[in-house]
């Protein structure tokens, strides 16, 4: 989500386009899930395609947070800023996102009162794990950031891959045979998403396995900042796409193998092979979006997808209440596929309008500060 990290001045359109794509996929998943009646969900093939697309937004957001994190960290390193200062800035930003996740849960509880159970206040959502992942990445970048920029970049790239693998491999036992049951459920839920249900829930967002997407994005981001990628940008993106295809192939190959590392193997929820598949798909999408932005029509005139990507956190926050919350624009669980699709179009246009209003307000504020240097100085001092 765009508001997660202050990105470098020269924005990369493919990141915003991927965030915007994640927003669109998120809208359609939430709208059909919330509004369509059980009968419509059973009789329409639309819901199956919607759920398939719905597996991508959360990994995309977390993966792109890792990519953006790499861009920000590299820029700060090139400025010669001390690694402890970089760690402080990025970890505090992660803590801010984590706090926003807690605030979001309070808002949802308040708007859903008295029907919302108090345990919803402690539910692990994507913003919570995104903030924690950013804090972990800040610590990792601090640990690997000593010395020259190029050497630190390669160390952080390798550490990001290693961390993603560790998280992936540790997930199955933490979900099954080695669950930390000695912890209170609100704490254990951040590890495996158990919440109050006695068993880990695949629809929640615990650190294992979701933080692996952030570390994978961090490694991809530092690869794109390498000397090779800066000299040969297109081949570098193609290499990432090829690595993604290889990851998908290996995921299928490992899953079909008779060898099993774990007492309990669940490919679709906690298995490392499924995480490898999804990381492979993210890398393929990264290459395709880069190609679309460089050689396609992505930047020809106004792009609503890029616009949504610029304010992804805002539209995520707001649309939830108008789809799932008390102010839902359609009756939940009572609509046909056609009516839900009409509602989806309304949500898309409304969130696009909100995004444009936010962008224009920021531009107006910058112009106002430029016309009033005294006000700008006071604003900077505050």
């Amino acid at each position: 989500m765009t508001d997660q990290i202050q990105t470098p001045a020269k924005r990369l359109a493919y990141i915003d386009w991927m965030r915007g794509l994640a927003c669109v996929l998120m809208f359609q998943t939430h709208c059909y899930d919330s509004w369509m009646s059980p009968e419509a969900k059973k009789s329409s093939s639309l819901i199956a395609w919607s759920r398939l697309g719905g597996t991508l937004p959360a990994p995309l957001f977390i993966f792109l947070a890792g990519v953006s994190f790499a861009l920000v960290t590299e820029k700060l390193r090139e400025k010669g800023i001390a690694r402890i200062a970089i760690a402080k800035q990025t970890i505090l930003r992660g803590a801010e996102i984590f706090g926003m996740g807690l605030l979001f849960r309070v808002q949802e509880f308040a708007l859903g009162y008295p029907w919302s159970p108090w345990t919803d206040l402690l539910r692990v959502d994507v913003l919570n794990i995104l903030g924690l992942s950013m804090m972990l990445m800040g610590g990792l970048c601090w640990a690997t950031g000593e010395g020259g920029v190029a050497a630190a970049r390669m160390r952080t790239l390798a550490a990001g891959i290693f961390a993603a693998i560790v998280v992936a491999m540790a997930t199955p036992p933490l979900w099954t045979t080695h669950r930390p049951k000695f912890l209170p459920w609100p704490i254990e839920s951040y590890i495996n998403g158990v919440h109050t249900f006695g068993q880990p829930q695949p629809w929640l967002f615990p650190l294992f396995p979701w933080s692996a997407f952030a570390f994978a994005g961090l490694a991809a981001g530092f690869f794109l900042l390498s000397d090779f990628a800066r000299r040969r940008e297109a081949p570098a993106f193609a290499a990432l796409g090829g690595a993604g295809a290889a990851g998908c192939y290996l995921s299928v190959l490992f899953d079909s193998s008779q060898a099993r590392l774990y007492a309990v193997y669940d490919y679709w929820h906690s298995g490392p092979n499924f995480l490898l598949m999804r990381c492979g798909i993210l890398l393929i999408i990264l290459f395709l979006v880069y190609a679309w932005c460089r050689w396609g029509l992505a930047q020809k005139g106004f792009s609503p997808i890029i616009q949504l990507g610029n304010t992804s956190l805002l539209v995520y926050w707001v649309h939830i209440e108008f789809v799932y919350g008390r102010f839902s624009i359609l009756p939940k669980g009572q609509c046909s596929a056609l009516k839900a699709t009409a509602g989806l179009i309304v949500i898309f246009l409304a969130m696009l309008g909100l995004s444009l209003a936010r962008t224009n307000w920021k531009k107006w504020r910058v112009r106002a500060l430029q016309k009033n240097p005294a006000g700008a100085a006071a604003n900077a001092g505050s």
Side-chain angles (χ1 to χ4, degrees):
M1 301 179 188
T2 297
D3 299 350
Q4 290 154 9
I5 299 182
Q6 300 302 314
T7 54
K10 185 178 180 181
R11 299 184 59 83
L12 298 176
Y14 67 86
I15 295 180
D16 283 335
W17 209 96
M18 288 183 72
R19 286 198 182 103
L21 173 64
C23 288
V24 173
L25 292 172
M26 174 179 66
F27 293 160
Q28 61 88 24
T29 303
H30 290 169
C31 289
Y32 289 136
D33 177 67
S34 176
W35 294 332
M36 285 178 66
S37 66
E39 296 76 16
K41 290 179 180 179
K42 291 178 182 178
S43 61
S44 174
S45 59
L46 184 64
I47 194 65
W49 288 104
S50 171
R51 286 172 176 166
L52 180 62
T55 63
L56 290 175
L60 273 170
F61 282 133
I62 299 174
F63 175 81
L64 290 172
V67 175
S68 294
F69 204 99
L71 300 179
V72 172
T73 301
E74 179 81 359
K75 188 173 184 64
L76 294 175
R77 285 174 176 174
E78 289 177 346
K79 289 182 177 179
I81 298 176
R83 62 180 179 137
I84 188 64
I86 297 174
K88 181 179 179 181
Q89 177 178 331
T90 53
I91 291 173
L92 285 177
R93 182 56 177 162
E96 181 182 349
I97 295 298
F98 179 76
M100 292 177 70
L102 297 178
L103 180 62
F104 178 71
R105 295 257 54 86
V106 172
Q107 171 193 290
E108 292 300 291
F109 175 77
L111 292 174
Y113 186 82
W115 302 283
S116 300
W118 71 267
T119 53
D120 276 3
L121 290 168
L122 303 175
R123 196 171 75 196
V124 180
D125 211 337
V126 65
L127 286 179
N128 306 93
I129 230 59
L130 186 55
L132 288 178
S133 297
M134 290 169 61
M135 295 166 73
L136 291 172
M137 287 189 293
L140 185 145
C141 289
W142 170 82
T144 58
E146 189 175 7
V149 174
R153 182 194 310 127
M154 296 308 297
R155 283 196 300 269
T156 312
L157 190 161
I161 295 173
F162 179 75
I165 293 173
V166 168
V167 170
M169 299 300 289
T171 296
L174 288 174
W175 277 47
T176 55
T177 56
H178 290 77
R179 277 180 51 196
K181 297 180 181 180
F182 58 90
L183 295 173
W185 69 261
I187 304 301
E188 183 186 353
S189 193
Y190 276 90
I191 297 174
N192 55 26
V194 68
H195 199 54
T196 59
F197 301 105
Q199 296 292 332
Q201 302 297 304
W203 52 275
L204 293 176
F205 298 91
L207 283 168
F208 296 86
W210 288 94
S211 63
F213 294 113
F215 290 122
L218 185 73
F222 276 111
F223 172 75
L224 293 174
L225 293 166
S226 65
D227 293 336
F228 166 75
R230 294 185 182 190
R231 290 194 308 267
R232 307 187 66 185
E233 186 179 72
F237 275 93
L240 287 179
C248 294
Y249 173 76
L250 289 175
S251 173
V252 175
L253 182 66
F254 293 155
D255 182 56
S256 61
S257 171
Q258 297 300 315
R260 288 289 182 262
L261 298 177
Y262 305 101
V264 180
Y265 177 70
D266 184 352
Y267 177 86
W268 293 105
H269 298 127
S270 62
N273 294 331
F274 184 46
L275 193 141
L276 178 61
M277 171 67 76
R278 289 202 283 187
C279 285
I281 292 172
L282 293 177
L283 290 175
I284 293 172
I285 293 174
L286 178 63
F287 166 66
L288 294 177
V289 168
Y290 166 78
W292 178 241
C293 288
R294 178 166 179 177
W295 297 297
L297 302 176
Q299 298 187 76
K300 303 295 184 182
F302 172 71
S303 170
I305 303 298
I306 291 178
Q307 178 60 47
L308 286 172
N310 281 328
T311 57
S312 54
L313 177 57
L314 175 65
V315 298
Y316 165 80
W317 192 296
V318 174
H319 96 280
I320 288 289
E321 193 54 42
F322 292 100
V323 175
Y324 283 113
R326 176 170 290 182
F327 303 109
S328 175
I329 65 172
L330 290 176
K332 288 174 277 189
Q334 302 178 38
C335 300
S336 65
L338 183 60
K339 189 174 183 179
T341 301
L344 168 61
I345 295 172
V346 171
I347 285 292
F348 174 83
L349 293 175
M351 293 304 101
L352 180 60
L354 177 65
S355 176
L356 287 167
R358 168 64 173 167
T359 301
N360 289 332
W361 179 83
K362 289 176 69 175
K363 290 179 179 178
W364 171 86
R365 188 166 178 267
V366 169
R367 288 196 297 266
L369 291 174
Q370 289 174 345
K371 292 179 180 179
N372 184 7
N379 183 73
S382 63

